[in-house]
Amino acid sequence: MKAELRTDSPFVATPTPRLTWRTETSTPSWRQAGAEVTDGESTITLEGAESALVDWPFPPLAPGERREVRVRVTGVDGAVSAWSAPLAVEAGFLAPDEWIAEPIGLADPEREAQPALVRTTFRLDRPVRRALLLWTALGSAEPEINGRAVSDDVLAPGWSATRDRLVHESVDVTDLLVEGDNVVGATLAGAWYTERYGFFTFTDRVYGDQPSFLAQLRVTFADGTVETLAPTGAAWTATGDTEIVASGIYAGEHQDLRLRAPWSTPDAATSGDDRGWAPARVGVVARPGYERVPRPEARIAEPVRRHESLPVVARLTTPSGGEVLDFGQNLVGRLRLRVRGEAGTTVTIRHAEVLDAGELALRPLRNAKATASFVLSGGDDVLESRFSFYGFRYAQITGIDVADEQVEAVVLHSDMERTGWFASSHALVNRLHENVVWGMRGNFLALPTDCPQRDERLGWTGDLQVFAPTASFLYDCDGFLTSWLRDLALEQERAGGVVPLVIPAALPSFAGGGPVAAWGDAAAVTPTVLHERFGDREVLAAQYPSMRAWVEAVRTDAGDSGLWAGRMQLGDWLDPSAPPDQPGKAKVDGDIVATAYFARSLRQVAEAAALLGNTSDAETYGALAERSRRAFVTEYVTPAGRMMSDAPTAYALALAFDLVQDAPTRAALADRLAALVRESGYRISTGFVGTPIIADALSDGGHHDAAERLLLQTQCPSWLYPVTQGATTVWERWDS
């Protein structure tokens, strides 16, 4: 059983969290006829088979309120189950006027993006029943109370559309508090907030030059009174004298472990240590346009956490005489070393996904240094980056010799629940499936990214919309993608209805170029997928203005013909026949891709409107969708069943998007698609847009044999070629 969208925590972001439960039974063909739900005070009877995202049947939760919910179900056979185990449901949000924390940080930083420690003391003079720490950061932070970490979350609070949306964490810290003096503080770094984004050449920082921390305690005392304690503001102090010397998403992290010492305990706070504590800066150090800090909202997606660790599987001697550790799996995370060495010794870790002539292949990282370095304390040290992450299979450690048992690769990703598995009798296909899973794990880290290793790691909208059906099979990513869609809608609104190519919109140089098909269509496709896969009607309702704004932006750009043509498009990006330095030069005309997506998104908006009861919009967009579909057929499909671009992606779009509905013509298109696949030797001949749909188009057209041979091909380019070359994730390009 779960409440709302998170499976990892009792905290919910809404006063009326929806409930979901699963029934385990040995009765064949069992179906639910009804259910009873209780919160201990009232019991509500629900009729029908619904068990996913069922409306909250009790009075709304108040801020700070906690309830325990149970369910029991009745089958159509009349049998009644036992009551489920209790599910704790707790308000993770505040009342509208309850957030009073101000952003704080270093008052006089010595350099840009300087990590810091911040803290304050407070006193509890009576017993506490419940205490919640609500915190967020412009950057990333690891809070502590009385010397203990408040959670095991990593890189929190993640990355959002910072101008308009800031996510706060809600953590039960009751057990960390004591009567008398207490200290609350945090280690703070810039992470995504202070990063410079761009390809090959970095631009100015987008958001701000220095990280900031915001926090407050909501304390319910044993006598029932509620107080807000220790809000960040003028009473807090800060210092830049921390073991985290420098940190960046692309650069990696440098730590000086000689500076590691207790700092968040009452004794440390009153000892007068020499760290240079001074009154904290109150306010933000932001770039123009980002000076306003939005009121934080409660988390709705699972946070990033450590999930497993992988051992060294091989040690390789490089031609230059160095040694590379192989962990046997391309992953996203960081190394953890347990070492002891002379104080002042610097240990450096470089990361790479592949080897080049036996050495770490660092060129694909472009400007991302992706380097972790540590100055040893002279005692027993644990070395692990805290505010950066790396995409790697191989690592090279210099500065100290380590045994295999001293090293592990820690896997990081957002803490979603696994829901889909696949197994077959074909070993290479099974490995391909595992590569997809590992690729998703690495790229679903706080937001859906394109790559986890180089100077990019951005939320490309096109990547997500083509992968969303797969993602929603493998993991319960409803909360994860719902959260990202909120950012999409906010960035889209600022862009006048056009969806930026990346969300959050961290590439200002990419703005202003007009709507781009397949990328911007994430606004319509992703909510549709979440509704289809999770039964989440609410995400359609929340995103419907965004869906509608997207197709209206395209209508403005495209004109009244129903076609979307004559505009710059990325098209069938990374067609394998395109020159390596011109990945957009595909066989299929970009206008075919654009019009196909326009027609499908119009249909998805019409279907969403109908589901939400908006009859007028359903009729309007249904008619527009049909107009675009007919225009597509008239312009790009010949009476003989050929596409004007005689390329596999053109046929796949016409079939998979149901743009051609005449049965004989569909059959002719499917036959031609199969012929093209055969002519290519059953090698992949589609790019970014066509590859996700070509197998379905073949199978739906009756050409299962062609789809099978396409899947099982091992020559380049093919899905299995990288597997035969030892790939453990899905490569960006078919040959590299």
Side-chain angles (χ1 to χ4, degrees):
M1 191 177 187
K2 72 173 183 178
E4 202 47 35
L5 302 180
R6 291 181 64 177
T7 58
D8 68 305
S9 168
F11 290 104
V12 294
T14 171
T16 54
R18 295 165 294 173
L19 299 174
T20 299
W21 58 86
R22 298 172 182 166
T23 301
E24 295 183 4
T25 178
S26 59
T27 302
S29 302
W30 183 90
R31 289 186 298 116
Q32 176 183 301
E36 295 171 276
V37 186
T38 182
D39 64 354
E41 296 183 2
S42 59
T43 299
I44 307 298
T45 300
L46 306 172
E47 300 293 336
E50 191 58 69
S51 60
L53 298 173
V54 175
D55 288 342
W56 180 254
F58 309 113
L61 292 168
E65 187 176 4
R66 186 177 191 272
R67 300 186 200 172
E68 288 192 345
V69 178
R70 296 174 182 261
V71 63
R72 69 179 180 185
V73 298
T74 301
V76 293
D77 58 359
V80 180
S81 73
W83 285 101
S84 68
L87 172 71
V89 183
E90 187 163 359
F93 53 86
L94 295 174
D97 59 349
E98 204 173 352
W99 186 272
I100 61 173
E102 299 178 276
I104 62 165
L106 278 177
D108 296 301
E110 298 176 351
R111 55 193 179 276
E112 291 186 340
Q114 184 174 351
L117 301 176
V118 294
R119 74 183 181 193
T120 194
T121 59
F122 62 98
R123 188 169 182 81
L124 294 173
D125 56 5
R126 57 193 189 278
V128 171
R129 180 192 304 163
R130 191 81 168 157
L132 299 182
L133 177 68
L134 300 110
W135 73 270
T136 188
L138 298 168
S140 185
E142 292 181 354
E144 300 180 14
I145 291 180
N146 295 330
R148 296 167 61 188
V150 304
S151 74
D152 60 358
D153 297 353
V154 177
L155 292 163
W159 189 12
S160 58
T162 306
R163 280 179 296 188
D164 301 298
R165 182 170 180 252
L166 196 56
V167 173
H168 75 71
E169 311 293 343
S170 306
V171 188
D172 181 354
V173 296
T174 309
D175 293 341
L176 302 182
L177 301 179
V178 297
E179 285 197 50
D181 292 330
N182 292 263
V183 175
V184 58
T187 306
L188 178 64
W192 291 281
Y193 182 73
T194 57
E195 191 55 78
R196 298 179 187 271
Y197 298 99
F199 311 120
F200 303 102
T201 301
F202 294 143
T203 61
D204 291 336
R205 288 185 170 87
V206 175
Y207 303 116
D209 298 322
Q210 296 292 339
S212 299
F213 181 67
L214 302 87
Q216 61 190 58
L217 279 160
R218 190 181 199 280
V219 180
T220 304
F221 293 97
D223 61 10
T225 59
V226 178
E227 292 186 16
T228 297
L229 301 179
T232 47
W236 283 63
T237 57
T239 180
D241 193 5
T242 167
E243 69 192 72
I244 313 294
V245 178
S247 183
I249 295 296
Y250 296 159
E253 191 163 289
H254 177 59
Q255 299 181 14
D256 188 341
L257 302 182
R258 296 172 298 183
L259 302 176
R260 181 176 289 176
W263 61 273
S264 63
T265 64
D267 288 345
T270 57
S271 66
D273 63 35
D274 59 358
R275 286 182 178 270
W277 292 92
R281 159 190 42 91
V282 179
V284 298
V285 182
R287 308 298 293 175
Y290 292 86
E291 300 89 350
R292 184 187 72 86
V293 178
R295 181 185 181 277
E297 63 178 58
R299 170 175 290 282
I300 60 176
E302 298 86 352
V304 177
R305 293 194 172 103
R306 301 172 179 88
H307 286 270
E308 62 180 294
S309 61
L310 302 183
V312 176
V313 299
R315 287 174 176 262
L316 310 172
T317 300
T318 69
S320 63
E323 187 176 59
V324 169
L325 303 183
D326 179 4
F327 294 90
Q329 172 63 55
N330 200 24
L331 61 96
V332 172
R334 54 252 190 140
L335 290 196
R336 180 187 293 145
L337 281 63
R338 292 177 172 85
V339 301
R340 185 181 184 89
E342 183 178 348
T345 300
T346 297
V347 177
T348 302
I349 306 171
R350 295 303 310 265
H351 308 80
E353 293 187 309
V354 293
L355 302 179
D356 183 4
E359 304 282 355
L360 288 184
L362 302 178
R363 185 167 55 91
L365 300 177
R366 300 192 301 221
N367 279 340
K369 293 181 180 179
T371 300
S373 59
F374 307 85
V375 179
L376 302 185
S377 70
D380 292 325
D381 289 326
V382 178
L383 316 184
E384 181 182 347
S385 297
R386 291 166 61 182
F387 298 104
S388 192
F389 60 92
Y390 315 93
F392 67 101
R393 170 176 172 170
Y394 302 95
Q396 190 164 29
I397 302 170
T398 57
I400 196 170
D401 294 327
V402 292
D404 289 356
E405 60 269 18
Q406 293 176 271
V407 187
E408 56 187 327
V410 180
V411 178
L412 304 178
H413 60 81
S414 290
D415 195 15
M416 303 167 294
E417 180 186 10
R418 181 76 183 270
T419 54
W421 291 265
F422 169 84
S424 75
S425 60
H426 198 291
L428 294 181
V429 173
N430 290 342
R431 182 64 241 190
L432 172 64
H433 173 73
E434 287 306 307
N435 290 0
V436 173
V437 173
W438 276 99
M440 177 176 174
R441 294 175 78 185
N443 281 304
F444 275 51
L445 190 152
L447 74 155
T449 64
D450 63 319
C451 62
Q453 79 294 67
R454 66 188 182 211
D455 56 346
E456 199 164 343
R457 312 184 196 192
L458 300 169
W460 287 95
T461 48
D463 299 54
L464 187 279
Q465 71 89 5
V466 299
F467 189 68
T470 300
S472 56
F473 169 78
L474 293 173
Y475 282 89
D476 182 349
C477 55
D478 193 10
F480 180 92
L481 292 181
T482 295
S483 179
W484 180 75
L485 283 170
R486 291 169 72 97
D487 293 319
L488 183 150
L490 291 167
E491 301 282 31
Q492 176 191 11
E493 184 176 2
R494 284 187 173 271
V498 175
V499 176
L501 294 177
V502 298
I503 301 294
L507 297 178
S509 62
F510 276 57
V516 177
W519 276 254
D521 289 282
V525 174
T526 312
T528 301
V529 169
L530 295 183
H531 176 256
E532 290 174 347
R533 300 305 179 89
F534 300 108
D536 193 343
R537 184 179 181 276
E538 190 167 299
V539 73
L540 276 185
Q543 294 300 130
Y544 181 74
S546 164
M547 299 172 71
R548 187 179 186 277
W550 165 247
V551 294
E552 286 296 329
V554 176
R555 281 182 71 191
T556 299
D557 190 64
D560 296 328
S561 69
L563 299 172
W564 188 11
R567 298 291 188 268
M568 190 286 294
Q569 298 290 350
L570 296 178
D572 198 25
W573 188 257
L574 286 177
D575 182 322
S577 66
D581 59 343
Q582 295 179 286
K585 197 171 183 180
K587 293 184 292 294
V588 64
D589 192 302
D591 292 349
I592 290 180
V593 173
T595 301
Y597 266 92
F598 184 31
R600 186 175 68 155
S601 285
L602 283 166
R603 185 172 69 246
Q604 289 172 333
V605 171
E607 291 170 349
L611 186 73
L612 298 171
N614 189 336
T615 304
S616 176
D617 273 9
E619 293 175 352
T620 296
Y621 291 108
L624 289 171
E626 178 61 14
R627 183 186 70 174
S628 279
R629 187 195 70 77
R630 290 178 180 274
F632 179 94
V633 173
T634 300
E635 188 76 11
Y636 303 123
V637 184
T638 73
R642 290 289 188 99
M643 298 297 300
M644 295 302 292
S645 278
D646 193 32
T649 291
Y651 291 92
L653 286 168
L655 294 167
F657 286 10
D658 202 26
L659 300 174
V660 175
Q661 297 177 348
D662 172 69
T665 306
R666 286 184 65 86
L669 292 172
D671 291 345
R672 180 56 184 163
L673 175 59
L676 289 173
V677 169
R678 181 174 61 254
E679 290 171 12
S680 69
Y682 299 98
R683 297 180 181 89
I684 291 290
S685 55
T686 48
F688 188 91
V689 167
T691 301
I693 59 175
I694 187 170
D696 285 343
L698 287 167
S699 293
D700 291 345
H703 294 280
H704 305 290
D705 55 338
E708 179 183 2
R709 293 187 65 176
L710 187 66
L711 171 63
L712 299 183
Q713 173 64 262
T714 57
Q715 295 182 9
C716 185
S718 68
W719 281 298
L720 295 185
Y721 171 74
V723 180
T724 68
Q725 300 302 302
T728 62
T729 53
V730 176
W731 293 349
E732 181 178 32
R733 295 178 186 246
W734 298 107
D735 59 351
S736 60

